[in-house]
């Protein structure tokens, strides 16, 4: 079993630890999208309707799942598309949260800050992979 795990780990091109970290983050985003689709946050969905919750959750599912599929093989053009889908979900959710900050009771700035932070993580990945369509391979 340990040999299989080691072979699998060795089959990932460098930087392995970064790809594994992004894979985990894309998995979390996919799970968050599924959870939001199945059980939308009532404080937000109730205020602005179900369609917006469905929209941002679908973007997260597509972006997260696409990122999971593309991060290890180095299909950067497709991973960038996944990041754009992820950003679309964050943009919708961020606009909803930001508008609710001014139209409902309580502060939504913490939520908004976390959304901006998560979008920034995607931006860092975008910067890492922006130059090529596929990951350059050593010969």
């Amino acid at each position: 079993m340990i040999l299989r795990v080691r072979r699998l780990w060795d089959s990932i091109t460098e930087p392995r630890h970064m790809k594994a970290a992004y894979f985990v983050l894309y998995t979390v985003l996919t799970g968050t999208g599924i959870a939001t689709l199945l059980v939308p946050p009532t404080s937000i969905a109730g205020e602005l309707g179900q369609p917006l919750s469905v929209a941002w959750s679908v973007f997260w599912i597509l972006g997260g799942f696409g990122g999971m599929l593309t991060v290890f093989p180095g299909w950067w053009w497709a991973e960038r598309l996944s990041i754009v889908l992820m950003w679309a979900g964050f943009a919708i959710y961020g606009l909803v949260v930001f508008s609710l900050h001014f139209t409902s009771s309580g502060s939504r700035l913490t939520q908004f800050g976390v959304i901006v932070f998560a979008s920034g993580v995607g931006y860092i990945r975008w910067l890492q992979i922006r130059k090529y369509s596929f990951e350059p391979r050593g010969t």
Side-chain angles (χ1 to χ4, degrees):
M1 178 66 174
I2 293 175
L3 276 174
R4 283 185 184 166
V5 171
R6 184 66 187 172
R7 263 187 274 154
L8 180 64
W9 181 253
D10 288 342
S11 71
I12 303 168
T13 57
E14 291 290 349
R16 291 181 186 102
H17 64 287
M18 293 295 291
K19 290 180 179 184
Y22 278 107
F23 180 83
V24 169
L25 291 172
Y26 288 138
T27 303
V28 169
L29 184 65
T30 303
T32 302
I34 292 168
T36 303
L37 185 63
L38 297 175
V39 186
T42 55
S43 64
I44 294 176
E47 292 276 334
L48 297 166
Q50 193 76 5
L52 283 177
S53 293
V54 170
W56 79 66
S57 64
V58 167
F59 280 127
W60 287 347
I61 293 167
L62 294 173
F65 190 69
M68 288 168 54
L69 293 177
T70 59
V71 69
F72 288 129
W75 301 334
W76 288 350
W77 66 272
E79 190 176 354
R80 285 194 301 266
L81 175 60
S82 298
I83 292 169
V84 169
L85 292 169
M86 175 185 79
W87 282 339
F90 283 128
I92 294 168
Y93 185 48
L95 288 171
V96 168
V97 167
F98 193 69
S99 68
L100 285 176
H101 176 73
F102 297 105
T103 60
S104 65
S105 63
S107 174
R108 304 280 180 162
L109 294 179
T110 301
Q111 283 175 283
F112 188 73
V114 171
I115 293 164
V116 171
F117 180 83
S119 298
V121 171
Y123 183 66
I124 291 167
R125 181 62 179 165
W126 177 278
L127 290 174
Q128 291 174 329
I129 65 173
R130 74 184 186 279
K131 290 185 180 182
Y132 303 102
S133 294
F134 296 95
E135 177 181 12
R137 305 281 186 196
T139 55

